[in-house]
Amino acid sequence: MEEGKLLLQNFEGKLRHFIYLYEQQKKEIASLQSLLEEKETDIKRLKEELETLENQYTYLKMACALGHKEDVQEAKKRINHLVREVDKCIALLSD
């Protein structure tokens, strides 16, 4: 009889511990899902920004044919720099 009570108490203790671990895992999963959603939003925003910059670059190339070479080259350098920065951000977020 006493051995049965000890086994039952041991079982109840382990069960409580597993329930605690389960609750901790649920919290961690919720936290990770939230972080994932945030990163996906960041990636989407950065992709849109990259697309905008690429369009601006295309328009700049068209303007280059009509404009001053020095101003256009400086603008190209700036846009290329911005595109590289966005690419780096996307790469960091993807990791």
Side-chain angles (χ1 to χ4, degrees):
M1 187 69 171
E2 206 50 45
E3 185 178 323
K5 280 185 176 183
L6 288 175
L7 285 173
L8 184 58
Q9 287 175 349
N10 188 20
F11 176 74
E12 288 174 348
K14 287 182 179 182
L15 183 59
R16 277 197 279 302
H17 181 69
F18 284 128
I19 291 172
Y20 169 78
L21 292 175
Y22 169 75
E23 293 298 327
Q24 293 299 332
Q25 288 297 313
K26 276 180 38 178
K27 289 178 185 177
E28 186 176 348
I29 288 170
S31 172
L32 289 172
Q33 285 175 333
S34 174
L35 181 62
L36 177 62
E37 289 173 5
E38 181 182 318
K39 295 300 181 186
E40 286 174 344
T41 302
D42 288 345
I43 288 171
K44 182 179 177 183
R45 180 183 55 81
L46 288 170
K47 283 182 179 180
E48 290 170 357
E49 187 177 342
L50 176 61
E51 185 177 330
T52 300
L53 290 171
E54 286 174 341
N55 287 336
Q56 288 176 353
Y57 179 70
T58 301
Y59 296 138
L60 182 63
K61 285 193 325 187
M62 286 185 227
C64 176
L66 304 172
H68 298 90
K69 291 285 185 184
E70 291 175 10
D71 293 338
V72 172
Q73 286 179 343
E74 186 61 37
K76 279 184 182 181
K77 287 179 185 178
R78 186 168 181 263
I79 289 176
N80 282 333
H81 177 72
L82 291 171
V83 169
R84 282 193 300 274
E85 283 186 39
V86 170
D87 284 340
K88 287 178 187 176
C89 291
I90 290 173
L92 288 172
L93 287 172
S94 295
D95 292 339

